Amino acid sequence: MEILDDVPVELDIDTLLARLRIDRESKIARDILDLIDNVAPVIRPKAIYEVSFIQNRDYDTVEIGGVTFKSRVLRVNLDKVERVFPYIATCGREVDEIATPSGDLLRQFWMDSIKEMALDAIRKYLVNHLKERYALEELSKMSPGEGSQDLWPIEEQRQLFSIFADVEDLIGVTLTDSLLMIPIKSVSGIYFSTEIRFESCQLCPREVCQRRMAPYDKNLLESFYKDRAGNS
Ligand code: SF4
């Protein structure tokens, strides 16, 4: 198990203002600059990952590092790999615990965007770290609950967390009874090596989503279930 907790984060003001759709010359932009100056020194995103191996496969289950996951799509995606990287990444408690006045919705929105940037930074860092250390060309990932509930049920967050024992102690992330991660700006899943990049968005029919990474592909979705229909 490896922990990444010394990750440089550069809060690029232009990127942040673009996300918030705020003009660089406005008074609000100066307020945001002040906010960045205050919070940047405490931001400490973190990630934990494990190098795990596939032990068993069935039609819609796959055993990884002694933990069985139930998802046909995950199972098929891992057909050609033996080694995978379960992970959890977070913006970090340090920035998450900065108090914001409860009625100040604007400031809360800015803080959320700053935490998202910290999370983006650790995600990129983790991917580059895995590619470099394990000499991988292309990585894809799947996460419990991502896309539609059928792809990989959110309930399997519990199994994923069980791979790391005490995640709260290790990187400060808690999994609530309702399967929310705290800090909210945290992500989890399994990275795996692929020749062709896979995105859960390809199997997600949601029509309006600002974070879509790839178009919905109904044929691809059906191809994951061909075996059971006797078509392969
Ligand atoms: S389209 Fe949106 S909701 Fe669907 S998997 Fe992609 S990011 Fe998630």
Side-chain angles (χ1 to χ4, degrees):
M1 172 186 320
E2 178 123 11
I3 294 174
L4 307 174
D5 61 0
D6 189 16
V7 176
V9 180
E10 214 175 289
L11 290 178
D12 180 62
I13 180 69
D14 290 322
T15 306
L16 181 57
L17 293 177
R19 277 188 189 199
L20 298 172
R21 300 198 176 131
I22 289 173
D23 181 53
R24 185 81 156 91
E25 303 308 320
S26 64
K27 153 99 176 57
I28 282 190
R30 287 193 292 281
D31 292 343
I32 293 173
L33 258 177
D34 287 345
L35 181 64
I36 287 181
D37 285 346
N38 284 332
V39 303
V42 302
I43 295 179
R44 201 141 173 235
K46 301 172 186 63
I48 187 169
Y49 76 88
E50 182 64 280
V51 183
S52 299
F53 292 88
I54 310 286
Q55 290 156 312
N56 282 302
R57 296 178 168 95
D58 207 335
Y59 174 77
D60 58 0
T61 60
V62 56
E63 187 182 338
I64 297 170
V67 178
T68 300
F69 295 98
K70 188 171 168 68
S71 157
R72 172 66 181 165
V73 176
L74 179 68
R75 150 78 177 81
V76 173
N77 267 333
L78 302 185
D79 254 355
K80 295 195 175 116
V81 294
E82 296 302 326
R83 184 181 58 180
V84 296
F85 306 91
Y87 72 93
I88 299 166
T90 177
C91 67
R93 275 201 172 183
E94 295 82 352
V95 65
D96 197 54
E97 288 175 352
I98 293 175
T100 311
S102 59
D104 194 341
L105 298 182
L106 198 52
R107 184 164 283 251
Q108 282 171 18
F109 181 54
W110 297 346
M111 280 300 296
D112 272 356
S113 298
I114 288 173
K115 290 178 209 173
E116 253 167 40
M117 287 178 79
L119 181 58
D120 287 348
I122 185 70
R123 276 202 286 213
K124 274 190 200 139
Y125 189 91
L126 174 61
V127 167
N128 289 337
H129 168 91
L130 292 174
K131 282 184 176 175
E132 276 172 26
R133 175 167 293 188
Y134 302 97
L136 303 169
E137 294 272 319
E138 184 65 272
L139 275 178
S140 293
K141 67 151 178 70
M142 281 191 68
S143 304
E146 193 173 51
S148 70
Q149 169 71 0
D150 311 349
L151 298 187
W152 187 9
I154 184 85
E155 288 75 15
E156 302 234 327
Q157 282 279 38
R158 294 193 186 94
Q159 284 95 311
L160 190 60
F161 268 63
S162 75
I163 289 177
F164 301 100
D166 194 344
V167 180
E168 182 170 9
D169 191 45
L170 295 166
I171 57 165
V173 177
T174 344
L175 187 65
T176 67
D177 291 343
S178 51
L179 304 168
L180 262 184
M181 285 182 279
I182 308 289
I184 295 284
K185 301 295 179 193
S186 300
V187 289
S188 66
I190 295 179
Y191 276 112
F192 50 93
S193 171
T194 40
E195 281 175 20
I196 300 170
R197 179 97 170 249
F198 169 82
E199 298 284 354
S200 295
C201 302
Q202 293 171 283
L203 310 185
C204 174
R206 186 178 295 191
E207 285 183 6
V208 181
C209 177
Q210 292 186 336
R211 297 184 72 91
R212 180 174 283 286
M213 307 285 289
Y216 174 52
D217 185 342
K218 192 164 177 275
N219 292 333
L220 179 66
L221 178 61
E222 285 169 4
S223 73
F224 278 94
Y225 295 91
K226 268 186 176 172
D227 285 355
R228 181 153 281 179
N231 293 333
S232 68

